[in-house]
Amino acid sequence: AFAAESDAARKVGPNDKLRVAVIGVNGQGGSHVNEWLKNPDVDLVAICDVDPAAYAKVSKKIKDQSRLPEYVQDVRKLLERKDIDAVSIATPNHWHAVMAVW
C-alpha cells in the first residue's frame, strides 16, 4: 500500500499558488514580505507603500528573487488588479478597516 503524500511534501504547481501583495512595508510589513517569500505556495506579486523610501528599504531583501514584485505606490491602483488573490495589510491601524472595505 502507498502512503498518502503529506500536504507539506506535495509539489505545488504554478496554478496552485496564491498571488499575494503586501500593503505597507515599514516595520511589520517587512516581516510580512519575509514570511510570504518563505512560503512555496505563494507568489509575492506586488508591494504597495505610499513611501518610496520604504519600498527602497524592502527592495534590498527581494533583489535576488527570480521575479521581482511590482512596486505600486497608490493602494487604490493595487486593489484594481484582478490578478491578486490576497493582500496582507501592515499599515498604521487607522488604515486597516478602510483598505479591507476597499
Side-chain angles (χ1 to χ4, degrees), residues 55-92:
Y55 175 74
K57 186 171 65 173
V58 79
S59 69
K60 294 172 186 164
K61 294 180 184 182
I62 62 170
K63 69 180 185 331
D64 295 330
Q65 297 300 308
S66 60
R67 190 170 50 184
L68 291 176
E70 178 185 351
Y71 170 59
V72 181
Q73 191 171 16
D74 187 331
V75 69
R76 295 167 297 185
K77 296 291 182 197
L78 176 82
L79 296 175
E80 289 175 357
R81 291 180 53 168
K82 302 295 183 208
D83 65 328
I84 296 174
D85 299 314
V87 297
S88 60
I89 302 171
T91 60

Side-chain angles (χ1 to χ4, degrees), residues 1 14 16 32 35 49-50 78 80-81 83 96:
D16 295 334
H32 287 216
E35 292 305 312
D49 200 295
V50 70
L78 176 82
E80 289 175 357
R81 291 180 53 168
D83 65 328
H96 289 183

Side-chain angles (χ1 to χ4, degrees), residues 2 9 12 15 18 20 24 27 32 37-38 41-42 46 49-50 54 59 64 72 88 91 95 99-100 102:
F2 292 98
V12 176
N15 293 333
L18 283 176
V20 175
H32 287 216
L37 291 174
K38 289 181 200 175
D41 296 337
V42 168
D49 200 295
V50 70
S59 69
D64 295 330
V72 181
S88 60
T91 60
W95 277 104
M99 290 181 185
W102 285 350

